[in-house]
Amino acid sequence: MRVAFGGELEQLGVDLAAMCRLAGDAMEQATRALVGADLALAERVIAGDSELDVLRARCEDRAFSLLASQTSVARDLRLLVSGIQAAEKIERMGDLARHVAEIVRRRHPQPAVPPELCGTFAEMGRLAVHAARAIEHTIANPLQSQLVERERADDRTDELHRGLLTAVSRKDSPYPVQTGVDVALLSRFFERFADQAVAVTRRLDFVVTGTTPR
Amino acid sequence: MRVAFGGELEQLGVDLAAMCRLAGDAMEQATRALVGADLALAERVIAGDSELDVLRARCEDRAFSLLASQTSVARDLRLLVSGIQAAEKIERMGDLARHVAEIVRRRHPQPAVPPELCGTFAEMGRLAVHAARAIEHTIANPLQSQLVERERADDRTDELHRGLLTAVSRKDSPYPVQTGVDVALLSRFFERFADQAVAVTRRLDFVVTGTTPR
């Protein structure tokens, strides 16, 4: 019985890692689509999002059947509940990448962000993709906490987010209001992606340490 | 043993209902603060948010100790995991109310939204508060699904959200870019509050029906 349990648990980890890879790829492509006003790439991100929804449902079903199997010990319970929560948050990361791509599509053939802000969005994108890759790595190596690095990257993302909001909404802003709205929402999507990555990392740490994440 | 389990489970429901009440109150006050540019009320919302964080932690701790008690049957497991997820989402609803209050504080003594858009925000606020109250009711009466009503209210909120984005970001927008940015973010916070309410309702339905929410 424990052998079957172990195999199912391993498969849950494989699916979660696959979700991270997809969410990271989606944000990588969404950022490129944003910076390059690339409609085809944006469409690919939007169409690809359903794959994450399917994987998330599979993770959840697997975790629930393991929970119900009655062979789980306390650490397994934490792991399974964290797995359900992580799957939900990684799916959300994919949604946020899709939201970026949707704004790219809405503004096409115009770029959604002015050229002088593209560098900031490219950096937010790199931080987001790196976060997704780091979580994928943590799932395979759960004993190495990535929390400090994730929080540091999240602080940097918050800083970039505040900078973008100030750049577009200050009194002498050179931007039309539509650009201000697009930049504010896009920036918020990157910022929330980073927040979700921190939340997933806290859940993974919780499994190892047993300390409730706050 | 089952008696103690039942008592602890009941307390989990009491805490979740209390969280809904607090999140609903927070959004009610945040909306009034927004429409009336009321700094004192905004400050109260911001200060009050920590209470939700404490309650969420208590819900989670209780659910985990119940999960580990080994007396739970399949329906209990669903209930406990849904309880952990609902607590997280209701805490998030409180965060969104706080974000509304933070924008009110940042713009004070200026109103954050122009008078002609206040009616739309007031309606979004009413829908949000009603959603929180309805979830509180569903926790006490879990057999009455509120999903159809919640989804309908969410559709209306989405419609109001799109209307606000169009109003501020159209080509001939009469608004300064700062107003556009504030309206877009505020509207997004109300829209996400409604989304979380739908997600909590799906979780509660899941407990009753056993059907995985999608």
Side-chain angles (χ1 to χ4, degrees):
Chain A
M1 193 65 174
R2 292 293 302 174
V3 174
F5 186 92
E8 283 287 295
L9 204 55
E10 200 175 306
Q11 194 51 49
L12 179 62
V14 169
D15 282 347
L16 281 175
M19 288 188 75
C20 286
R21 201 153 44 244
L22 286 173
D25 290 350
M27 200 46 135
E28 193 268 324
Q29 291 169 3
T31 306
R32 272 200 289 135
L34 177 64
V35 169
D38 185 334
L39 180 64
L41 200 52
E43 297 277 16
R44 205 181 313 159
V45 173
I46 295 164
D49 187 44
S50 57
E51 207 180 332
L52 268 174
D53 302 346
V54 170
L55 270 175
R56 179 254 175 111
R58 200 161 84 188
C59 285
E60 198 161 295
D61 290 344
R62 201 184 300 275
F64 269 109
S65 64
L66 282 167
L67 269 177
S69 75
Q70 301 290 348
T71 59
S72 26
V73 296
R75 189 174 173 286
D76 294 333
L77 290 174
R78 280 201 296 270
L79 187 69
L80 293 171
V81 174
S82 293
I84 293 170
Q85 292 177 307
E88 183 171 29
K89 287 174 206 307
I90 303 166
E91 185 197 340
R92 181 84 202 125
M93 288 161 70
D95 290 341
L96 291 162
R98 175 169 51 81
H99 289 341
V100 170
E102 283 164 348
I103 291 188
V104 173
R105 180 168 69 178
R106 195 170 316 137
R107 295 301 166 228
H108 189 84
Q110 297 302 315
V113 292
E116 65 276 19
L117 300 183
C118 279
T120 308
F121 278 106
E123 185 179 348
M124 288 181 108
R126 274 194 302 275
L127 287 164
V129 174
H130 185 263
R133 305 285 183 246
I135 298 171
E136 189 186 337
H137 180 82
T138 306
I139 290 168
N141 304 277
L143 293 175
Q144 298 181 319
S145 173
Q146 302 266 351
L147 191 55
V148 174
E149 290 91 322
R150 288 281 57 70
E151 286 181 334
R152 198 174 303 141
D154 185 45
D155 288 346
R156 175 66 184 151
T157 300
D158 287 348
E159 196 181 302
L160 294 170
H161 176 53
R162 281 193 302 273
L164 283 170
L165 289 185
T166 305
V168 294
S169 70
R170 63 173 201 263
K171 282 263 182 294
D172 60 341
S173 167
Y175 300 109
V177 63
Q178 188 184 78
T179 301
V181 166
D182 285 345
V183 166
L185 291 176
L186 286 163
S187 178
R188 173 94 185 144
F189 298 149
F190 283 96
E191 192 246 332
R192 290 297 300 155
F193 190 102
D195 287 342
Q196 302 291 344
V198 172
V200 174
T201 308
R202 285 213 181 99
R203 288 285 149 195
L204 296 175
D205 271 27
F206 176 45
V207 174
V208 176
T209 65
T211 313
T212 311
R214 295 285 176 259
Chain B
M1 194 63 177
R2 289 295 300 175
V3 175
F5 186 91
E8 283 287 295
L9 205 55
E10 200 175 305
Q11 194 52 49
L12 179 63
V14 169
D15 282 347
L16 281 176
M19 288 188 74
C20 286
R21 201 153 45 243
L22 286 173
D25 290 350
M27 201 44 136
E28 193 269 322
Q29 291 169 1
T31 307
R32 272 200 289 135
L34 177 65
V35 170
D38 185 334
L39 180 63
L41 199 53
E43 296 277 15
R44 206 182 311 160
V45 173
I46 295 163
D49 187 46
S50 58
E51 207 179 331
L52 267 174
D53 302 345
V54 171
L55 270 174
R56 179 257 174 109
R58 199 162 84 188
C59 286
E60 197 160 297
D61 290 345
R62 202 186 299 276
F64 269 109
S65 63
L66 282 167
L67 269 177
S69 75
Q70 302 290 348
T71 61
S72 26
V73 297
R75 188 173 174 285
D76 294 333
L77 290 173
R78 279 201 297 268
L79 189 68
L80 293 170
V81 174
S82 294
I84 292 171
Q85 291 176 308
E88 183 171 29
K89 287 174 207 308
I90 303 166
E91 185 197 340
R92 182 84 201 125
M93 287 160 71
D95 289 342
L96 291 162
R98 176 167 53 79
H99 290 341
V100 170
E102 283 164 347
I103 291 188
V104 173
R105 179 168 71 178
R106 195 171 314 138
R107 294 300 166 230
H108 188 82
Q110 299 300 315
V113 292
E116 66 276 18
L117 300 183
C118 277
T120 308
F121 278 105
E123 184 178 349
M124 288 181 108
R126 274 194 302 276
L127 287 164
V129 174
H130 185 263
R133 305 285 184 245
I135 298 171
E136 190 186 337
H137 179 82
T138 306
I139 290 169
N141 304 278
L143 293 175
Q144 298 180 319
S145 174
Q146 301 267 351
L147 191 56
V148 174
E149 290 93 321
R150 289 280 57 72
E151 286 180 335
R152 199 174 303 140
D154 185 45
D155 288 345
R156 175 66 185 148
T157 300
D158 287 349
E159 196 183 302
L160 294 170
H161 177 54
R162 281 193 302 273
L164 283 170
L165 289 185
T166 305
V168 294
S169 71
R170 63 175 201 261
K171 281 263 183 294
D172 59 342
S173 166
Y175 301 109
V177 62
Q178 189 184 76
T179 301
V181 167
D182 284 345
V183 166
L185 291 177
L186 285 163
S187 177
R188 172 93 185 145
F189 299 150
F190 283 95
E191 191 246 331
R192 289 297 299 154
F193 189 103
D195 287 343
Q196 301 291 343
V198 172
V200 173
T201 307
R202 285 214 179 100
R203 287 286 149 193
L204 296 175
D205 271 27
F206 175 45
V207 174
V208 176
T209 64
T211 313
T212 309
R214 293 286 175 260

